[in-house]
Amino acid sequence: MADSYTPPVTGTGVKATIQRIGGHLAGMIMPNIGAFIAWGLITALFIPTGWLPNETLAKMVGPIISTLLPILIAYTGGRMVHGQRGAVVGAVAVMGVVVGTDSPMFLGAMIIGPLTALILKYVDKFTEQRTKAGFEMLVDNFSAGIVGGAMAVVGMFGIGPIVQTVTTAAGNAVSWLIGHNLLPVASVLIEPAKVLFLNNAINHGVLGPLGVAQAAETGKSILFMLESNPGPGLGLLLAYLLFGPRELRPSTPAAMIIHFFGGIHEIYFPYVLMKPRLILAVIAGGAAGVFTFMVTGAGLVATPSPGSIFAYIAVTPKGGWLGSSLGILVATAVSFAVAAILLGFGRGEKKDEPEGSQEAVTATEPAAAPANKEA
């Protein structure tokens, strides 16, 4: 199995830097998706509004979300920076953040885990040349303990409150959008960012933590549905299948299966990048889906990851299938309609021909009549 679920980013510039940061954020979340799914299933099944309400089993929901998941994130982030030693001190340090705040500290874990591992990495560089033979284990253990303990204190009194303030401000902004029925406007930012392969950073780095906090209070959150809705991508691929360039049409059925049933949204991003005007289609589809979710009061209990229809079903609370399904259907229909219009309903679409190909030129020109020979 692969250790990383995010492709390496090359190049320089603002876009590459943002993608690289997003890749690091996603790299802390993606290896732990199994734990998120387990929490989502336990929540969907055993909370009072779940499918199989059970007061005893529902006691696992709180500790998993408030303690286990942040520790896993910090552990993974520390390991990315400084191997096993970084993972251990990251897990120790995040406990200060966990204990010091009431909200699930996913963002705090993403910060303090790698940061603590980075500090230990520099400490190890300083001590390895100065430690006498026979004292390596003693120095290594005490240095890790001191760094981990110190950063736990910093996390409790420094990082935790700061992240709590930022999260509260972001939550208030989202709440303002919800209260003024403007949440669909978020699609104007989310959909273009997704096409730049920032989907994991948006979903797991921003919307996911906010959604978790909301779900902890209300039992579900619409924020889990803003980025993960497979409808806009499905509608775009359907439009490509019927009205796109003819040589691309055979590739779309497989892409639709991978996208809708497999939840790999990245499969449709190149189709948008080939015709950038189609970004309007996925924005319209995303906004229409969010509006439908708002009207129907839809929400999920956890992030559907990957964003497939099966994941949506798995984390949909009891009685919420209609709203979730309708939002996906509306997003698909709107995205398809706008993309079909932008593609001109297939009028004038021809097979793309290689530029500079003499065969392509001669194939499209009438053959020259042979010259008449003079007798």
Side-chain angles (χ1 to χ4, degrees):
M1 296 294 291
D3 292 330
S4 175
Y5 293 85
T6 57
V9 178
T10 58
T12 58
V14 176
K15 175 183 173 182
T17 300
I18 295 175
Q19 287 181 327
R20 199 170 285 110
I21 294 173
H24 287 306
L25 292 176
M28 286 185 270
I29 297 292
M30 297 303 289
N32 299 307
I33 283 298
F36 279 82
I37 293 175
W39 172 77
L41 291 174
I42 292 172
T43 303
L45 289 173
F46 303 127
I47 61 174
T49 57
W51 293 97
L52 300 171
N54 187 299
E55 183 178 355
T56 301
L57 295 177
K59 293 179 180 178
M60 292 187 289
V61 173
I64 291 175
I65 189 177
S66 63
T67 305
L68 176 61
L69 294 180
I71 289 176
L72 286 175
I73 292 171
Y75 182 94
T76 305
R79 187 171 184 177
M80 291 169 61
V81 174
H82 193 41
Q84 184 63 25
R85 283 171 59 75
V88 171
V89 296
V92 171
V94 78
M95 286 306 299
V97 177
V98 169
V99 175
T101 57
D102 296 327
S103 301
M105 275 289 105
F106 291 180
L107 292 177
M110 291 179 184
I111 295 172
I112 199 167
L115 178 60
T116 305
L118 182 63
I119 293 174
L120 180 63
K121 185 176 182 179
Y122 284 112
V123 170
D124 285 347
K125 287 183 178 180
F126 177 81
T127 59
E128 64 181 359
Q129 301 298 330
R130 296 169 174 81
T131 303
K132 295 183 178 180
F135 290 87
E136 293 88 353
M137 181 178 292
L138 179 65
V139 173
D140 286 349
N141 287 337
F142 269 87
S143 62
I146 292 171
V147 171
M151 288 302 294
V153 175
V154 172
M156 176 176 288
F157 295 107
I159 295 176
I162 292 174
V163 173
Q164 180 71 51
T165 301
V166 173
T167 302
T168 301
N172 291 337
V174 174
S175 298
W176 185 88
L177 290 175
I178 295 174
H180 291 77
N181 296 321
L182 294 176
L183 196 57
V185 176
S187 296
V188 176
L189 300 175
I190 292 174
E191 297 299 334
K194 283 178 64 177
V195 173
L196 296 176
F197 293 88
L198 300 177
N199 50 318
N200 288 323
I202 294 171
N203 193 22
H204 300 302
V206 179
L207 297 176
L210 295 175
V212 166
Q214 188 179 73
E217 297 178 1
T218 64
K220 64 180 181 180
S221 175
I222 190 177
L223 302 179
F224 292 130
M225 312 174 90
L226 300 188
E227 183 275 338
S228 60
N229 187 351
L234 179 62
L236 176 81
L237 292 173
L238 281 171
Y240 254 97
L241 176 64
L242 299 178
F243 308 120
R246 294 186 184 277
E247 70 173 11
L248 292 177
R249 294 179 188 180
S251 68
T252 54
M256 290 163 59
I257 293 173
I258 294 171
H259 167 68
F260 192 67
F261 296 107
I264 309 301
H265 291 203
E266 288 85 350
I267 196 71
Y268 79 84
F269 298 168
Y271 291 88
V272 179
L273 295 175
M274 282 187 286
K275 292 184 178 293
R277 65 180 181 272
L278 294 179
I279 191 65
L280 298 176
V282 292
I283 289 175
V290 173
F291 179 77
T292 305
F293 293 144
M294 290 178 60
V295 171
T296 59
L300 303 178
V301 300
T303 300
S305 184
S308 71
I309 186 63
F310 299 123
Y312 258 73
I313 292 173
V315 295
T316 297
K318 186 178 181 180
W321 280 357
L322 177 61
S324 297
S325 302
L326 189 60
I328 295 174
L329 181 61
V330 169
T332 301
V334 171
S335 180
F336 169 78
V338 175
I341 294 172
L342 294 175
L343 289 171
F345 295 99
R347 291 191 297 269
E349 288 292 354
K350 298 179 180 179
K351 292 183 178 181
D352 294 336
E353 297 163 353
E355 295 182 3
S357 172
Q358 185 62 33
E359 291 77 9
V361 173
T362 57
T364 57
E365 293 179 352
N372 292 330
K373 294 182 179 180
E374 294 181 1

